[in-house]
Amino acid sequence: MSTDARGDGPIIVFDGVCVLCNGWVRFLLRHDRDARYRFAAMQAPAGRALLVAHGLDPDDPSSFL
C-alpha cells in the first residue's frame, strides 16, 4: 500500500485482470465502511506509476503494493 501526494489514504494496487483479485477488491469495498482505501489496477496508468515508483515491475502480477 502507498499513500499518494494528496494524503487521501492508502492506495491498493491490484491485478485488474485477475478474477480473484477483483473479488478481493469487491470484498474490501463492501467492508470498508469508512472508505479508507482506494484502488488502482496495475494495468492502469496510476497503478503502473505506483509500482514503478516503488521499484516493482508493473508487468509482473505476482507483486502487490
Side-chain angles (χ1 to χ4, degrees), residues 6-7 9 17 19 24 26-28 30 33-34 36 39 41 49-51 54-57 59 61 64:
R6 294 179 304 182
V17 178
V19 174
W24 176 71
R26 284 192 306 274
F27 173 85
L28 288 174
R30 268 195 319 271
R33 300 193 191 284
D34 296 329
R36 292 175 295 192
F39 302 89
L50 282 168
L51 290 171
H54 286 82
L56 297 169
D57 181 359
D59 296 316
F64 286 93

Side-chain angles (χ1 to χ4, degrees), residues 13-18 21 42-43 51 57-65:
V13 179
F14 68 100
D15 183 353
V17 178
C18 170
C21 299
M42 65 189 300
Q43 292 82 7
L51 290 171
D57 181 359
D59 296 316
D60 179 12
S62 66
S63 61
F64 286 93
L65 175 65

